[in-house]
Amino acid sequence: MPGKLKVKIVAGRHLPVMDRASDLTDAFVEVKFGNTTFKTDVYPKSLNPQWNSEWFKFEVDDEDLQDEPLQITVLDHDTYSANDAIGKVYIDIDPLLYSEAATVISGWFPIYDTIHGIRGEINVVVKVDLFNDLNRFRQSSCGVKFFCTTSIPKCYRAVIIHGFVEELVVNEDPEYQWIDRIRTPRASNEARQRLISLMSGELQRKIGLKVLEMRGNAVVGYLQCFDLEGESGLVVRAIGTACTLDKLSSPAAFLPACNSPSKEMKEIPFNEDPNPNTHSSGPSTPLKNQTYSFSPSKSYSRQSSSSDTDLSLTPKTGMGSGSAGKEGGPFKALLRQQTQSALEQREFPFFTLTAFPPGFLVHVGGVVSARSVKLLDRIHNPAFVGIMSNTRSYKLLDWNSFNSDEPETRDAWWAEIRQEIKSHAKALGCHAVVGYSESTSICEEVCILSASGTAAVLNPRFLQDGTVEGCLEQRLEENLPAGCGFCHIPYDELNMPFPAHLTYCYNCRKQKVPDVLFTTIDLPTDATVIGKGCLIQARLCRLKKKAQAEANATAISNLLPFMEYEVHTQLMNKLKLKGMNALFGLRIQITVGENMLMGLASATGVYLAALPTPGGIQIAGKTPNDGSYEQHISHMQKKINDTIAKNKELYEINPPEISEEIIGSPIPEPRQRSRLLRSQSESSDEVTELDLSHGKKDAFVLEIDDTDAMEDVHSLLTDVPPPSGFYSCNTEIMPGINNWTSEIQMFTSVRVIRLSSLNLTNQALNKNFNDLCENLLKSLYFKLRSMIPCCLCHVNFTVSLPEDELIQVTVTAVAITFDKNQALQTTKAHVEKSLQRASTDNEELLQFPLELCSDSLPSHPFPPAKEHLESASSNSGIPAAQRATSVDYSSFADRCSSWIELIKLKAQTIRRGSIKTTVTVEKTSPMGEGNFRNRSAAPCANSTVGVVKMTPLSFIPGAKITKYLGIINMFFIRETTSLREEGGVSGFLHAFIAEVFAMVRAHVAALGGNAVVSYIMKQCVFMENPNKNQAQCLINVSGDAVVFARESELEVVSTQQPAANCQPACTGGEVTT
Amino acid sequence: MTSELDIFVGNTTLIDEDVYRLWLDGYSVGDAVALRVRSGILEQTGATAAVLQSDTMDHYRTFHMLERLLHAPPKLLHQLIYQIPPSRQALLIERYYAFDEAFVREVLGKKLSKGTKKDLDDISTKTGITLKSCRRQFDNFKRVFKVVEEMRGSLVDNIQQHFLLSDRLARDYAAIVFFANNRFETGKKKLQYLSFGDFAFCAELMIQNWTLGAVDSQVDDMDMDLDKEFLQDLKELKVLVADKDLLDLHKSLVCTALRGKLGVFSEMEANFKNLSRGLVNVATKLTHNKDVRDLFVDLVEKFVEPCRSDHWPLSDVRLFLNQYSASVHSLDGFR
């Protein structure tokens, strides 16, 4: 009996009129936890009842405390008929279960009804007394902290990052139970809400147990999703990264929050291994690693088997020896081996984090992704079978397999995909995957499972507990990161897993870098970026025949590779058009509908100083004899060149000019050109034969061989840049902007369009979809124009296909204002400096031949294409930087510190200008008066509702997060049978989303918080039936409730501290001279 | 490609002042879009008409949802659904309860009933204010009236407390409520030259001096109804014109005091008896409801018009009236 839950019902307000005769309500409250229910007295004839109840006490297991939500129902007492429900409040008491978070939940909660929406508010106080329980066989995991934030939370320090945790729970969907035919929609919705709440609790508890097993104390980057599989049930699944976190005690350790992830950690030297071991030669491109398989039949693996053989989980000791001879010597091999073994002890070396403590990320290989098409063709539920056995007797076959089997199937599906990802990462010479995420798309009985991440090499220091650090640190400090370390290829250039065009790093001149880099993570804080970034999207539709079951799954499996390929091509083209060379935060979503597939990829393009300048795009015509055609082509070419030039100006991309000799002409070898591949299946192996040898180096050739391609070129040019003063990105912060001001506006925008069935061709579809997204963005820019200059950050698009001819796009993002006058563009100077330094460097050459044959992939079913092949055996003229460290460090230190110092400077100027008041933020009262104080402008003093900020980012500009109060994970259903009366679909959904925001804010305020960070709307499933005047919507949101304090309100002393505090971080590099 | 659904929901509810004004003025979405296009917003922002349409729709929907709360402004402050900065809340309320001078002149003093509401069509045609806007304004008057009708305490304070209006607007509403309650006739042609401000000024003085609240602050309806006793007492003034001696004495007192100070002295002297008789008659009739309603008509007919026909300057009118009432105090029986 290790917990006592205490609940007090204080009062209600704004209740709806339940008795038409008196225009009043006789309200009372039922408080339910588990199977115990308490009731308050009836408070007669009032819309603002004051119950002031006693403390209702529930004595419960901590297991139940974790699983069950507290359920509060407000009812209207009726003497003669059944009591009418006014609405309910579900309160997740999880935040009360760990000591550092909230101690009490107290405040006004909106009373929610799934049919009527919010109907008044109720004031509730909840407390938990936990008793210590030393039972080691316990099933609960109280005390494990959960964070949605995909970086180490601001007021914590990561001691160890343990790794991947996952779990899933399966249940029957109440909506599809037989009883649903006789119960009211309200009862059905409530059953569903309650079930998902229960399942989430259980899932979280189980994950917590796994974390405890790993000796961790927290889960970071926790992402929970539910799959509505219809008849076949409801899956709630979650992934996260287990960590051991230490709370930073003094607020002094906080850095200016706008400067993203935890810099409070000591800078850790990078491991610079240019030639990692060569254990895998799986032919995979950074993006092109997928498996298309569908069950129940054999998996349709597109992957050559070479990488599959690598799946053994035993540590590969001695693997480093293959490359050990080069430079790092035995020491490097040792390091690698350690990292490897640390990681390989785990089943899946995955990390859901997207931003890391400095030094954690050593190299980045590229994006790895896997998809699999599955059929949801079974219903497993004993209850269901039991009741319906006469009508659905065939289900009895599954009887035995239910309990153990059903979750297993889903587990097995995911395990398969994760193995795939793991092997792809290995093929890239990486032992870990960061920025990892999973998603599904379901249509009828077909389900596409997707997983993606970024293959990476990590620093073992964070993965193990303090082993062999001493010697490692000493040795490693010689090799310093220069803000480019993560760009250096982790794979062996002798045996590249995919064709890439390698050059020496433009920053340090020592290591090889690819010509473009795609990743799913945020831009590392130490990365050197030139200019600003921008949101890049690839959008694609594919028609598909309607089909059933396996035929459908096969059709989808066959389409997927082409979709991926085209999405990739579009991304690459748009990236080049922007004059940029790297993508961060890449997220590719493939959505399946009845008669089409949609692909939407979003990423933030940047120009990384370390990577080579991207070449232009060149257009080649197929029929060169036609004069007018030629003219047309050259006209197009001019347009493209103009666009590139314009974009460079727009995003302030002006990399320092570097003469060829300095770089050592990047491998002037027979250049292979790829062409834009049309998706007709027969074209899939044409790609490698093309060699047009146009004079212009690095040019990316688009061949216009049919009208289709013309359209593509046109569509490339139709993407309109945001109006001036606006920037957008889908990462946490905009590369190149770091002078944020404190105004933020989080929003969700939803659009649904109906396609006219007449023009359903791929092109028309593409155009419609493209217009939909572009118009949506334009609308956002217009709506938020009062915030200029501002940046839309963390722009998150979600596409779904609710019906045959409907496309739904949901966007959640945050607009943040920034100070135009204080633009910080100083990195450039430093880059130039460093480049000059590098040019004076030594001439020592690499003495091994580079060989990579272009024909290594004939068996590849579809060509990895694009940046095809820069094999190059010319190592002459490449200044290999071996002992350049002595020169190099200083420029790095310069750059690094200048960047940080500028931010510090900015932070301090803000502080100086403001009134220095000390506010203890802990004192947030139930009513949120504490929060009230944080509000910047409050001229109207009689308002009692505290402001709660919401943001998808992990920080709040201009403020410091002082406390994490716990995870918010809420699921709501709203249904209406009077759609027209509620303002049609738009009115209905608008009101519902506003209500969801309100409920999230109320819960945060009740926990004593004043903001939600890492907020995400994970699901927004909207269904309508206008003929019946009905609509239903399900929304799932999550985030971290926090307390923040404005920087100006913190003590002067504490704010000056961080300046001193990051000194080690900045100067860390200089030690090495 | 048709848009089925198109919404934007911010954590902080976006309020566009210009669109709000258009909405309050009762324009349809189509008209509002046309007006916005004419304002040149497309050129300023580079937006397209479709974007403007979507934006306008969105704002209209938001306002429509907020309207329910605006009917009881304290609810807007305490509700949790829309997070709106206090300054914006104040703006929303103030603008929602603002009214058009032209409109208020039409309904001032009329019974705020269904009957009047039916006439809004005509008022709309006459004033050029959209019917929708007329309805909103009318409903606002009625709502405020209903809420404060039977309340204790100061009328202005009650309105301010229940509708969170600015002081200025609350005073105007007090005047509207006061006029509606006493049904003063303001629509006669003779009264057309008077502005709402003129009436509001009168209302304020009457509330201060003529109502129950003026003598006792703890009565229901204190600021709404005229003090019956006071009106009864006014009958006593009859003696001022009925008693010939008193009338002469009064006249001589006033004339002595004003001699040389009034530009229109001779006219005043000649007209004194008429003016005094007019004023006193208006006052003594106020015990009848019918005559209360005609107060302003009578005042204009019996006093204002004679003065005007003699071209009295305003300052002279003021001087005369002050002296007129001051002199009474030195008469026998008024001391």
Side-chain angles (χ1 to χ4, degrees), chain B residues 12-40:
Chain B
T12 304
T13 306
L14 284 182
I15 308 287
D16 186 310
E17 285 183 46
D18 299 337
V19 185
Y20 189 48
R21 199 178 293 269
L22 292 170
W23 179 75
L24 288 175
D25 287 345
Y27 291 105
S28 68
V29 174
D31 292 347
V33 170
L35 283 166
R36 292 183 83 187
V37 169
R38 228 171 292 157
S39 77

Side-chain angles (χ1 to χ4, degrees), chain A residues 639-695:
Chain A
K639 253 167 94 178
I640 286 183
N641 292 346
D642 288 352
T643 313
I644 294 178
K646 219 168 63 198
N647 280 329
K648 280 190 175 173
E649 196 180 319
L650 183 64
Y651 299 108
E652 296 161 28
I653 299 168
N654 27 19
E657 289 294 326
I658 309 157
S659 60
E660 284 287 292
E661 49 193 286
I662 297 171
I663 325 163
S665 62
I667 319 159
E669 271 305 285
R671 206 153 275 109
Q672 292 276 358
R673 301 208 181 278
S674 60
R675 50 170 245 190
L676 199 63
L677 181 63
R678 302 270 60 79
S679 65
Q680 287 81 30
S681 52
E682 64 271 1
S683 66
S684 56
D685 34 353
E686 290 171 26
V687 93
T688 48
E689 65 192 40
L690 193 77
D691 182 9
L692 294 166
S693 293
H694 278 265

Side-chain angles (χ1 to χ4, degrees), chain A residues 443-455:
Chain A
C443 178
E444 304 284 313
E445 72 239 299
V446 176
C447 172
I448 302 182
L449 310 184
S450 312
S452 70
T454 305

Side-chain angles (χ1 to χ4, degrees), chain A residues 169-206:
Chain A
V169 193
V170 178
N171 209 310
E172 192 187 339
D173 191 339
E175 185 99 344
Y176 295 87
Q177 274 167 325
W178 69 273
I179 195 169
D180 206 56
R181 290 175 206 165
I182 55 169
R183 67 179 163 191
T184 61
R186 175 181 285 121
S188 162
N189 291 339
E190 283 173 2
R192 249 175 143 185
Q193 284 193 168
R194 195 181 129 70
L195 179 72
I196 288 191
S197 184
L198 258 172
M199 288 168 78
S200 307
E202 184 188 342
L203 194 68
Q204 216 169 310
R205 174 174 57 83
K206 284 185 169 171

Side-chain angles (χ1 to χ4, degrees), chain A residues 928-944:
Chain A
E929 285 117 333
N931 315 341
F932 200 63
R933 209 180 321 177
N934 287 331
R935 206 167 42 198
S936 43
C940 191
N942 46 356
S943 164
T944 55

Side-chain angles (χ1 to χ4, degrees), chain A residues 745-746 752 754 783 1001, chain B residues 2 4 7 9 11-12 55:
Chain A
Q745 166 72 291
M746 189 282 295
V752 177
R754 184 176 292 280
K783 281 225 175 269
R1001 289 193 301 256
Chain B
T2 49
E4 289 273 301
I7 56 162
V9 191
N11 183 38
T12 304
D55 180 68

